[in-house]
Amino acid sequence: MTDTPVRVLIVDDHPMVAEGIQAILESYDDIQVIGTVGDGREAVGRALALLPDVILMDLNMPGLGGLGATEIILEQMPDTRILILSMHDSPEYISTALSHGAMGYVLKDVPTEEIKQAVDAVMRGERYLCTGAKGSLEPKEGEEAREALTGREQTILLQLAQGKSNKEVAIALDISVRTVETHRKNIKRKLGISSTAGLTRYALEHGVLQGTGVGL
């Protein structure tokens, strides 16, 4: 162990939330908050420039959301620990965040000291789920197991459910239209859904579109 403080970047589009988290973390001598940003695109740029040890990432932000930012950052900086801080406790949110490479998931209403515990845990290389997140992931009695979507499939589901065409998704994610079509087919098969309207309905019912401004 070294005496070097853990370098933390906070990503949240609500300034009061970001400032509150910053104040909590700066009360610890072994943590240094190196920046706060309000959207995913800026988070990517600042992460590459500042090289944080841990990123506290909100999920729902304008433009590039937390999942997309997490995926891009980890592609270029795979050793970065990303800890999701969110108000959403649905299993879909949590499992999707973990499948995108996040090392932990903490609800925003946890006691302040738990955020520090989460940072310490991911710095040790451990996955950290707060109590509420753990409870949401526990299988319900009689619940049928469903083949899980990959992180990339979850990202494409979100894009498609927002009404984007295959071509628009391909441009946004810098992949081929054929790749989008393949993922789309796999998503429908795994979810047992045959139409785009069905995908949108699934995304709404399972919280995937919460906070994006999209509604039926």
Side-chain angles (χ1 to χ4, degrees):
M1 291 288 289
T2 69
D3 294 328
T4 307
V6 177
R7 293 161 53 81
V8 175
L9 176 66
I10 299 169
V11 184
D12 198 297
D13 63 328
H14 295 96
M16 287 183 66
V17 173
E19 289 167 12
I21 296 168
Q22 182 174 358
I24 291 165
L25 294 180
E26 287 183 337
S27 69
Y28 296 95
D29 294 336
D30 57 348
I31 289 182
Q32 178 189 5
V33 177
I34 58 174
T36 61
V37 298
D39 66 74
R41 194 64 67 188
E42 189 181 359
V44 173
R46 292 292 289 279
L48 294 175
L50 299 175
L51 305 178
D53 299 307
V54 176
I55 299 176
L56 299 182
M57 182 79 75
D58 190 16
L59 284 181
N60 297 125
M61 295 178 287
L64 182 66
L67 293 178
T70 294
E71 192 171 29
I72 293 169
I73 290 168
L74 290 178
E75 280 176 358
Q76 301 185 59
M77 300 167 57
D79 293 333
T80 307
R81 280 88 162 177
I82 295 184
L83 181 61
I84 301 297
L85 267 177
S86 177
M87 68 179 76
H88 303 298
D89 64 354
S90 75
E92 287 73 25
Y93 267 93
I94 300 163
S95 59
T96 300
L98 296 177
S99 71
H100 273 70
M103 286 189 67
Y105 198 104
V106 176
L107 299 175
K108 288 185 178 179
D109 60 358
V110 299
T112 56
E113 63 270 16
E114 188 159 0
I115 297 175
K116 173 64 163 61
Q117 291 171 14
V119 171
D120 290 344
V122 298
M123 280 302 294
R124 292 192 299 267
E126 301 169 6
R127 191 173 83 166
Y128 188 93
L129 297 176
C130 70
T131 304
K134 281 181 188 170
S136 290
L137 284 183
E138 289 173 359
K140 309 294 184 288
E141 192 177 341
E143 192 173 61
E144 226 177 278
R146 189 182 64 222
E147 190 178 352
L149 298 183
T150 65
R152 176 60 89 179
E153 287 167 351
Q154 291 276 5
T155 300
I156 289 173
L157 170 60
L158 175 59
Q159 299 269 332
L160 293 172
Q162 288 176 322
K164 293 181 180 176
S165 67
N166 288 351
K167 185 176 180 181
E168 288 170 331
V169 175
I171 292 169
L173 300 180
D174 196 23
I175 56 179
S176 71
V177 173
R178 179 168 291 187
T179 299
V180 176
E181 290 170 350
T182 300
H183 281 305
R184 185 178 192 143
K185 201 175 296 180
N186 288 336
I187 291 166
K188 287 181 175 179
R189 175 182 58 79
K190 288 181 178 182
L191 300 181
I193 293 171
S194 59
S195 67
T196 300
L199 289 179
T200 304
R201 200 155 41 244
Y202 172 89
L204 283 164
E205 289 172 355
H206 290 78
V208 177
L209 289 172
Q210 266 181 277
T212 64
V214 178
L216 283 177

